[in-house]
Amino acid sequence: VFVVDDGSAPGVRAKLRLALSPYPNVTFVELETNRGPAAARNVGAATADAHAEVIVFVDSGVEVTRDGLDRLAGWLAADVADAHSGVRFVASAPRVATTPAATATARYEEKHSPLDMAGPGSAQASLVGPGRSVSYVPSAVLAVRRDGFEGVGGFDESMRYGEDVDLIWRMSDVGWSTVLDPAAVASHPARRSVQMLAVQRFRYGSSAGPLTTRHGDLVAPAAAKLTVMAASVVLLVAPWRTGLGALVAAMGVNASRVGNRVDEAAEGHPGSFANGAVESLRLDLASLTSIGRASLRAWWPLSACLLVQPFSSRLRRRLLAVLLSAVVVRGTSGSATNVLVSLVDDLAYGAGVWRGAASSRSWAAVTPRVVRER
């Protein structure tokens, strides 16, 4: 076990030394200045036994069992690939649940923690990567194969936040796979106050700009086909019948195209057209949800401007309905406090996204991604 102290104050460092002194298998590594989590993890990995095939990063404040660590390491064994159609895992992560507590932030984060990529009740392991339902996992607890980790150069130490997203995506770029296994559960305490939660979310949002300079539009706040995007705009500004008609027409055209392609690929197998059409409708509905979500989260400065513009009362009413729906859906517990905390979460994160986009001069972080039909 290697504990890296990332430039703590002298008094804190002395307490850490004293707390760790009874454990002969713990090596205490001291960094004189605070270099950030990416650098601290890289130092820990470099200090570890060079013969160790698997390295597990565990952040301070996280609790994880030995069984959980063994399960994560099991995914990275060389022979696991045979059972998964040749998929070779270079990284694995557990579900990071919020430690229960009687605070507003803890009650909210039990369902909406940015570290919990699986959610309560999840049991199915998921492949992780760009374009998947789980696009990344946090490095609060992350097991990696040394060869894969070192092969991509470890964590990018120039990134103070979002370094875990960047690592997962770089490993995916070279053909390595990551798995999220919710059967292994770690726990992490929630932020102690709503103010601390807002600061954390702002910092997370600020990573969007640097990520776009490295990974392009994968960080886009919403993704949809051009037809669905156009219909969404019409729905906001046109009369109800026109707007709904445009949306139904767009989704119908998309469903027909996808259904025909699936039917052709399946050589007319019964039900292939219907399956393709239903999948197209499902994806378009998910796109609409992502647009509504982005209107409250990454795009809220634009939404605020549109809510006060004097030119179209219809646009103000429609957009307000979209934003209120997004707020209510986000606070799914039905608690008014949860709804308010979720609003703070979204506004702080969105402000961070714009800050990151401005500092990196990359506006892809606030630009929707057009999904092209394949």
Side-chain angles (χ1 to χ4, degrees):
V1 177
F2 300 86
V3 176
V4 181
D5 175 79
D6 189 19
S8 295
V12 174
R13 180 168 289 181
K15 291 179 180 179
L16 283 171
R17 286 198 203 100
L18 182 62
L20 296 173
S21 59
Y23 303 99
N25 66 324
V26 174
T27 300
F28 190 48
V29 183
E30 302 178 9
L31 302 184
E32 291 307 316
T33 59
N34 180 268
R35 294 170 53 188
R41 296 191 194 103
N42 284 345
V43 168
T47 309
D49 184 352
H51 297 292
E53 294 183 4
V54 174
I55 303 168
V56 184
F57 300 103
V58 182
D59 281 1
S60 59
V62 177
E63 294 185 9
V64 60
T65 66
R66 175 59 183 269
D67 288 344
L69 295 179
D70 287 342
R71 186 175 180 90
L72 295 182
W75 282 101
L76 308 183
D79 58 352
V80 171
D82 296 334
H84 292 270
S85 303
V87 173
R88 184 74 183 279
F89 297 109
V90 71
S92 58
R95 179 191 170 211
V96 183
T98 297
T99 305
T103 65
T105 53
R107 288 191 294 270
Y108 171 73
E109 289 200 352
E110 283 182 22
K111 294 187 176 180
H112 301 293
S113 169
L115 302 178
D116 189 353
M117 307 306 293
S122 299
Q124 185 78 25
S126 303
L127 283 173
V128 177
R132 298 187 180 277
S133 58
V134 181
S135 62
Y136 71 92
V137 287
S139 50
V141 180
L142 182 67
V144 297
R145 286 188 57 86
R146 179 186 288 277
D147 52 2
F149 177 75
E150 294 180 346
V152 297
F155 289 99
D156 184 342
E157 297 183 15
S158 69
M159 299 188 70
R160 192 79 184 188
Y161 307 101
E163 77 289 343
D164 39 14
V165 182
D166 172 66
L167 176 71
I168 297 301
W169 288 357
R170 282 189 287 119
M171 291 192 297
S172 178
D173 286 343
V174 298
W176 290 99
S177 296
T178 299
V179 62
L180 169 65
D181 184 0
V185 181
S187 62
H188 188 284
R191 301 297 100 178
R192 292 194 295 272
S193 67
V194 176
Q195 293 88 339
M196 292 178 69
L197 179 145
V199 171
Q200 179 202 48
R201 301 306 198 266
F202 178 86
R203 290 171 175 171
Y204 284 175
S206 68
S207 69
L211 283 170
T212 59
T213 64
R214 293 162 172 79
H215 303 283
D217 63 4
L218 291 177
V219 195
K225 295 174 183 175
L226 192 58
T227 51
V228 173
M229 288 187 187
S232 300
V233 174
V234 174
L235 190 61
L236 287 176
V237 300
W240 273 117
R241 288 185 178 180
T242 303
L244 288 175
L247 184 60
V248 170
M251 295 176 67
V253 168
N254 292 338
S256 178
R257 288 175 177 172
V258 174
N260 284 328
R261 286 203 304 273
V262 173
D263 190 52
E264 182 179 349
E267 299 180 347
H269 188 276
S272 57
F273 177 88
N275 289 336
V278 169
E279 181 64 12
S280 175
L281 291 172
R282 187 186 68 81
L283 292 175
D284 284 348
L285 288 173
S287 296
L288 288 172
T289 301
S290 76
I291 291 172
R293 182 90 181 90
S295 299
L296 179 66
R297 195 163 171 85
W299 296 337
W300 72 259
L302 296 178
S303 297
C305 293
L306 293 176
L307 285 175
V308 298
Q309 54 80 27
F311 306 107
S312 172
S313 60
R314 176 186 293 148
L315 175 58
R316 293 197 301 270
R317 292 194 304 271
R318 301 273 176 86
L319 182 57
L320 182 60
V322 171
L323 296 177
L324 289 176
S325 299
V327 170
V328 172
V329 169
R330 181 72 164 157
T332 52
S333 71
S335 162
T337 302
N338 248 32
V339 172
L340 291 175
V341 177
S342 73
L343 186 59
V344 171
D345 182 339
D346 289 335
L347 297 181
Y349 183 86
V353 169
W354 284 89
R355 170 66 180 275
S359 62
S360 64
R361 299 180 182 178
S362 175
W363 299 105
V366 292
T367 304
R369 174 165 53 89
V370 176
V371 177
R372 292 174 174 80
E373 294 184 358
R374 291 178 287 179

